Amino acid sequence: MHWTQIYDPFGRWWLSTLVATLPILVLFGLLVGLKIKPHWCAAAGALTAAAVAVGFFSMPPILAALSFGYGVAFGLLKIAWIVLAAVYLYDISVDTGQFEIMKESVAGITPDRRLQVLLVAFCFGAFIEGAAGFGAPVAIAGALMIGLGFKPFHAAALNLIANTAPVAWGGIGIPIHTLAAVCGLPESDLSATIGRILPITAMIVPFWLVRTMVGWKETFAVFPAILVVGSSFALVQFFWSNYVDSSLVDIMGGTVSILATVAFLRFWKPRKIWRFDYDDPPAPPSPPAGEISDQVGGRWTVSNFDENLPTRSRPLGAILKAWMPFAILSLFVLVWGLPPVKQAMNQTTTPAFKVVLADGKLRPGPPGWDVPYLHNAVYRAAPVVARPTAEAARYDFNWLSATGTGCFFSAVVTGLLLGLTPVRLAKIFWRTLGRMRLAVLAISFMLGLGYVTRYSGLDAVLGLAFTRTGWAFPFFGTFLGWLGVALTGSDTSSNALFGSLQRITSQQLGIDPVLMCAANSAGGVMGKMVDAQSITIATAATEQVGNEGVIFRFVVWHSVALGAIVGVIVMVYAYVFPHAVAHGLTFVK
C-alpha cells in the first residue's frame, strides 16, 4: 500500500488549514477548558486527528491506526521511560534522606529563591538537557526544586520557562544532527548559526525567569547574578557551537554557568534575601514585593528578609554524598549518549534483520524492525519536499542503549551505594510506577497524536500556511519551528518535519536557507514549554496531575513572547546582518 499526502483537499488553503487545526483545538480545549485528565485529552486529540485524516485528507484507515500505535510505542521507550527512571532516582534520594541534605546544601550557597531558581532550573536544567533531553530536565530539576521547598506549581512553571535556550542541542546534540540530515546542509554551519541566535535569548531567559517570580525592583536587585548566569552560559554556547562541536554545547554551558555562579556567590550576595511567603520562618508583616496568580486563584506572594536565614551546617562528605545520585545520573546519561557506546550496545541487543546492497556488497541494515504496512508507505510531496519522499517507520527497540535505561541503571547503582537492598529498590520502583502510570499513558498518547499528525500530513498543512507570509517569512518561519515543537513535543521531531520545507521556501523567497533551517530549531525551543508532552512530564514529576490546563495558561504567553523575540532576531539576521550567517565553518577536530 502506498499513499501520498494531500495538503489542500478543499481547494482553499485556509479551509484546509482550519480543518487541520481541529485535533489541536480538541486537545487543548479539553485540557485547558474542561480540565479533562491529560491521557483522555491526548486520546481524544489522536482520535480527532485520525478522523480528520481519513475523512478529509483521504488517508487509509490502517495507516492512521498504525501511525498512532507507532507513536505510542516510541513514546513508551524513548520518552516515558526517561521520565519514569528520573522520578525513580528522585524517590530513592528522598527515601534515603539525601534530598533533605541537597536542599540544605543549595540553601547554604544561597537561601534566596531568585538565585536558587537560576542555579537549579536554568544552569542545572541546561546540563541535564544537554545530557538527556526529552523532558528529563523538567522532571529532575522540578523534583529538586520541590525538595528545596518550592511549591509544585512554581517548580513546574519555572522549569518549563527555563528549559528553552538549551533545547536546540539537547540529548547530545540530537536536534542538530537531525536537522542537518533532513536539510542536507552542513551541520557545522547550522550549529554555528543557531549558536548566533540563541545566546542572545540565553541572556534574556534568566532575567525573564526571575521577573516571572518577582517585581522589577527585586529582579534588578540580583541583576549581577543574572548577568553572570546568562553571560557565562551564552559565551560557552556561542564558542562551543561555532568552533568545537554540536554535541556537548549544553553540557559545557551548563557546567561552566554552575561553576561561575557558585564562585560569584561566594563574593557577592543580594542586600535582602527573597523568600516565598510560605517559607519557614514566616515573613514579618510587610507589603508583598510582587505577585502573580497561582493555580488555585490566590496570589503568588513574596516576602523580603533583611537577614540571611540560618542553615544547618553539614560536613563536605555528607553534601557530596547527597549530590551523588545526580552526579551518577549525569555520568550514566553522558556515557549512554556517546556514539561508540551506543553503537556497541545496539549491536549487542538488537540484531539487524535485513541486509542492504551497498558498494556491490551485502551489508547488515540498521537495527530494528520496519513497522508493517507503514514503513515507506506514506509519501510526502511538493511543495513540502522537492520530490516525493517516503516516510520511514522503523522501531528500533534498542532498550539497552535507550537514555531511560541509563537513567534507570544510575538509580539502581545509587540505591545500592546508599545501602538499599534489592527488595527495597523494587518496592520503591513499584511505588514510582504506581503514581506515574497515568503520566506514562498521557505521554504515550501524546506521541501517538503527534505521529498521526505527522504521517497524515496535517503538520505540513499547518506549516504551509506559514510559507504564505512573503517578506515576513523569517519571522513566521521561526514560528513554524515553534509550531512543530508545540505539536510533537520535540525539537528533533520539529526539525525532521519542517527542515526540508524551510529550505525549499527560503530558497524560493531568496532568503538564506542556512538561516531559516537554523531558525526552525531556534524558534522551536520556545515552543517546548507549551507542548502537551512537556506539561504532562512537569505535572507528573511535581505530582500535579490534573493541573495541566492551569500550567498551560500560565506559560503560553511566555512561550509566544519569547518566540517572537527569536523571530525578530532572525529578521535582523535576514535583512540587516545577512553576512553574519555561518557558511563554510568546520569544527576543530
Side-chain angles (χ1 to χ4, degrees):
M1 178 185 298
H2 295 282
W3 174 73
T4 301
Q5 294 176 346
I6 300 171
Y7 306 124
D8 190 8
F10 300 102
R12 295 179 177 85
W13 70 268
W14 60 268
L15 182 57
S16 299
T17 302
L18 181 63
V19 172
T21 62
L22 289 178
I24 303 173
L25 296 177
V26 169
L27 171 65
F28 287 108
L30 294 177
L31 190 66
V32 179
L34 300 181
K35 300 181 180 180
I36 306 296
K37 291 185 180 297
H39 58 285
W40 292 118
C41 296
L47 184 62
T48 304
V52 169
V54 173
F56 297 104
F57 290 82
S58 303
M59 185 181 195
I62 184 64
L63 295 182
L66 288 171
S67 299
F68 177 76
Y70 180 32
V72 169
F74 182 90
L76 281 172
L77 180 63
K78 301 297 185 180
I79 298 176
W81 181 218
I82 295 175
V83 180
L84 180 65
V87 175
Y88 178 42
L89 177 74
Y90 163 71
D91 287 346
I92 289 173
S93 182
V94 171
D95 189 84
T96 56
Q98 301 305 312
F99 222 93
E100 184 66 25
I101 301 176
M102 288 180 63
K103 167 187 172 181
E104 293 172 1
S105 68
V106 174
I109 297 174
T110 174
D112 193 296
R113 294 300 195 189
R114 297 166 295 185
L115 302 179
Q116 288 177 357
V117 78
L118 290 175
L119 277 170
V120 177
F122 187 83
C123 300
F124 183 61
F127 178 87
I128 298 299
E129 175 66 36
F134 294 105
V138 175
I140 296 172
L144 177 55
M145 286 177 63
I146 290 177
L148 287 170
F150 284 76
K151 277 189 175 181
F153 176 81
H154 300 164
L158 292 171
N159 272 285
L160 285 169
I161 296 173
N163 189 37
T164 48
V167 169
W169 294 275
I172 320 289
I174 292 176
I176 303 293
H177 306 332
T178 302
L179 181 64
V182 170
C183 298
L185 296 172
E187 182 177 320
S188 56
D189 288 346
L190 293 170
S191 177
T193 302
I194 298 172
R196 301 176 188 192
I197 297 173
L198 289 183
I200 300 174
T201 65
M203 297 288 294
I204 296 173
V205 170
F207 185 90
W208 196 290
L209 198 58
V210 175
R211 177 62 185 86
T212 300
M213 297 172 61
V214 299
W216 290 103
K217 179 180 178 181
E218 291 72 25
T219 301
F220 280 107
V222 291
F223 185 75
I226 293 173
L227 190 62
V228 170
V229 170
S231 60
S232 60
F233 184 82
L235 288 172
V236 174
Q237 190 180 60
F238 168 79
F239 173 79
W240 211 271
S241 62
N242 275 262
Y243 301 110
V244 184
D245 65 40
S246 59
S247 297
L248 302 179
V249 176
D250 290 341
I251 292 175
M252 296 307 301
T255 300
V256 171
S257 64
I258 291 173
L259 295 176
T261 305
V262 171
F264 178 73
L265 292 179
R266 292 181 62 87
F267 303 99
W268 179 90
K269 296 184 184 300
R271 295 180 62 184
K272 292 184 178 181
I273 302 301
W274 186 93
R275 307 274 288 179
F276 291 115
D277 65 344
Y278 53 73
D279 283 322
D280 185 32
S286 61
E291 56 182 28
I292 65 173
S293 298
D294 68 9
Q295 73 273 32
V296 293
R299 309 304 293 177
W300 179 346
T301 57
V302 301
S303 306
N304 285 316
F305 288 75
D306 292 329
E307 70 281 354
N308 289 332
L309 298 177
T311 57
R312 182 177 177 180
S313 177
R314 294 274 187 178
L316 178 60
I319 295 175
L320 294 177
K321 181 181 178 181
W323 279 93
M324 180 182 66
F326 293 95
I328 293 175
L329 171 69
S330 302
L331 178 62
F332 266 80
V333 296
L334 182 58
V335 171
W336 244 248
L338 295 176
V341 175
K342 187 177 288 290
Q343 183 178 3
M345 289 190 289
N346 287 345
Q347 292 175 348
T348 301
T349 59
T350 306
F353 287 93
K354 300 183 66 176
V355 293
V356 294
L357 191 64
D359 300 329
K361 298 180 181 180
L362 289 176
R363 296 181 179 178
W369 295 271
D370 295 346
V371 178
Y373 303 106
L374 181 62
H375 179 65
N376 289 339
V378 174
Y379 279 77
R380 287 188 177 257
V384 177
V385 290
R387 58 181 180 273
T389 304
E391 284 284 295
R394 296 187 60 83
Y395 188 66
D396 55 335
F397 187 65
N398 296 324
W399 62 270
L400 182 58
S401 65
T403 304
T405 303
C407 295
F408 177 78
F409 284 162
S410 72
V412 172
V413 170
T414 295
L416 293 175
L417 291 176
L418 292 176
L420 296 180
T421 64
V423 174
R424 183 61 185 165
L425 283 171
K427 288 181 178 179
I428 295 174
F429 182 74
W430 182 254
R431 187 179 68 210
T432 303
L433 185 61
R435 70 185 181 92
M436 291 289 291
R437 64 189 187 281
L438 294 181
V440 169
L441 279 177
I443 293 168
S444 301
F445 287 173
M446 293 296 181
L447 267 294
L449 167 60
Y451 273 56
V452 172
T453 302
R454 168 185 170 183
Y455 283 93
S456 65
L458 298 182
D459 57 348
V461 175
L462 298 174
L464 288 171
F466 284 85
T467 67
R468 300 175 180 273
T469 54
W471 67 271
F473 180 68
F475 181 86
F476 289 101
T478 302
F479 268 95
L480 178 56
W482 180 95
L483 175 67
V485 176
L487 288 174
T488 66
S490 165
D491 200 44
T492 301
S493 298
S494 176
N495 289 341
L497 290 174
F498 294 138
S500 178
L501 179 61
Q502 292 275 15
R503 178 174 184 175
I504 293 171
T505 304
S506 59
Q507 288 174 334
Q508 292 174 344
L509 295 174
I511 302 171
D512 193 324
V514 171
L515 174 63
M516 291 315 303
C517 290
N520 192 84
S521 191
V525 306
M526 298 308 173
K528 187 71 174 174
M529 72 180 84
V530 295
D531 77 82
Q533 172 189 303
S534 293
I535 293 175
T536 300
I537 291 171
T539 57
T542 57
E543 300 187 9
Q544 288 189 92
V545 175
N547 271 346
E548 290 80 9
V550 177
I551 293 175
F552 174 82
R553 287 195 295 271
F554 177 78
V555 300
V556 64
W557 85 267
H558 296 280
S559 177
V560 173
L562 287 168
I565 291 174
V566 177
V568 170
I569 294 172
V570 174
M571 287 281 285
V572 171
Y573 275 120
Y575 298 121
V576 181
F577 303 113
H579 299 296
V581 178
H583 287 284
L585 290 185
T586 56
F587 291 134
V588 177
K589 301 298 183 183

